[in-house]
Amino acid sequence: MSLPKTLAEDVARNLVMVARLIDEDPEKAYSYSRVALRLASRVAAVREAAGFAAYATQKYAEALAEFRAARRMTGSVELWPVMADCERGLGRPERALAMAGEPEVQKLDKAGQVEMRLVAAGARRDLGQVDAAIVTLQSPELAANAVQPWTARLRYAYADALLAAGREGEAREWFAKAIESDKDGTTDASDRLAELDGVEFVDAFEEIEDTEDPEESEESDESLGSEEIRGTEAAGDGGEEQGGDDSGSRH
């Protein structure tokens, strides 16, 4: 659908702000998406952007409605995994699993299929089926040596599922593999691995404060107080010598 030039520019500016803010300030991105939606609700790109902004702010029912609208307009299956994840967000993991078995999944590209696998594994865990989640994540993509955009997240999810199943040794191995493939720091795999190794992170400022001896501080305060008293008394003595003026200068 084409828009008048001025309106199209206004919509584009709001969509740019959504894309710019969605990671660092999701609520503000959501506000811009609502403006774009008011201006051009019949544009698929606007509905999709509004869906992602709502998703980022955990408004899953709203996000699902926007994704469905965008899909009706385009006929694309690209949003299928995130729609399934919205079902998870709404507390309906069974629906997410049902979507994972629909024909639409076969029409997804490789990245979309991996994303769908991650959602399905998450749904299994929502249902308390940790072992089934582990099996769901076992795939050629997980075993591949080549690093793809999804590799770090897939390995991380597998490691996390292994840890939930009490398989700590294997979890440690896969967290390490996730770190190897996570060049952009998209996961906290390094922190998780450090926790398993018993490494504790301490705030440097808190550590400095904790090392201060409270008794020494107390003695220092007392010493300072005594000096102040002596100084005040000396000033008072001087005042008496000059005429005994006690005007309240000690306070």
Side-chain angles (χ1 to χ4, degrees):
M1 178 182 178
S2 60
L3 298 171
K5 183 179 179 182
T6 303
L7 179 58
E9 289 174 352
D10 288 343
V11 171
R13 277 194 291 270
N14 281 282
L15 293 183
V16 166
M17 293 306 295
V18 172
R20 185 178 298 172
L21 295 169
I22 197 163
D23 291 327
E24 61 186 62
D25 192 344
E27 289 293 345
K28 191 171 285 188
Y30 176 76
S31 297
Y32 279 106
S33 77
R34 300 308 295 176
V35 175
L37 199 56
R38 285 197 299 271
L39 294 173
S41 62
R42 295 184 180 181
V43 175
V46 171
R47 302 304 289 264
E48 184 174 327
F52 278 110
Y55 179 81
T57 53
Q58 299 183 9
K59 298 175 176 68
Y60 297 117
E62 189 175 320
L64 186 56
E66 297 301 340
F67 290 142
R68 283 172 174 167
R71 183 166 180 266
R72 283 195 299 271
M73 293 174 181
T74 63
S76 172
V77 297
E78 183 180 309
L79 296 170
W80 196 254
V82 71
M83 289 168 63
D85 206 38
C86 285
E87 294 287 7
R88 284 187 62 212
L90 291 168
R92 303 190 295 237
E94 297 90 347
R95 291 194 187 183
L97 286 174
M99 290 179 70
E102 294 291 335
E104 282 82 355
V105 176
Q106 302 307 315
K107 300 175 186 177
L108 293 168
D109 60 12
K110 181 61 68 179
Q113 290 181 3
V114 170
E115 196 64 38
M116 192 70 240
R117 190 177 291 277
L118 287 165
V119 173
R124 290 292 184 190
R125 292 192 61 176
D126 293 342
L127 294 167
Q129 302 170 1
V130 180
D131 290 336
I134 291 170
V135 173
T136 299
L137 292 168
Q138 291 170 344
S139 61
E141 293 79 21
L142 179 68
N145 291 323
V147 175
Q148 302 293 344
W150 61 76
T151 303
R153 291 177 58 237
L154 185 59
R155 290 176 176 179
Y156 181 92
Y158 189 59
D160 193 47
L162 288 168
L163 189 60
R167 295 159 63 176
E168 188 174 308
E170 293 172 86
R172 189 189 182 288
E173 177 187 344
W174 281 96
F175 277 129
K177 288 182 178 181
I179 293 170
E180 290 174 6
S181 56
D182 193 3
K183 305 304 181 186
D184 298 325
T186 55
T187 73
D188 65 346
S190 57
D191 292 342
R192 299 293 299 278
L193 184 58
E195 286 175 12
L196 286 174
D197 288 341
V199 177
E200 293 185 10
F201 296 97
V202 179
D203 189 297
F205 292 105
E206 288 181 6
E207 189 174 339
I208 291 170
E209 290 174 2
D210 290 343
T211 55
E212 290 182 357
D213 189 339
E215 290 184 5
E216 286 183 7
S217 299
E218 221 173 272
E219 289 173 5
S220 185
D221 290 343
E222 287 175 1
S223 174
L224 181 59
S226 299
E227 289 175 5
E228 288 177 348
I229 291 169
R230 285 197 296 273
T232 307
E233 288 174 348
D237 292 343
E240 288 173 1
E241 290 173 4
Q242 293 172 10
D245 181 13
D246 191 5
S247 60
S249 60
R250 297 184 186 181
H251 298 291

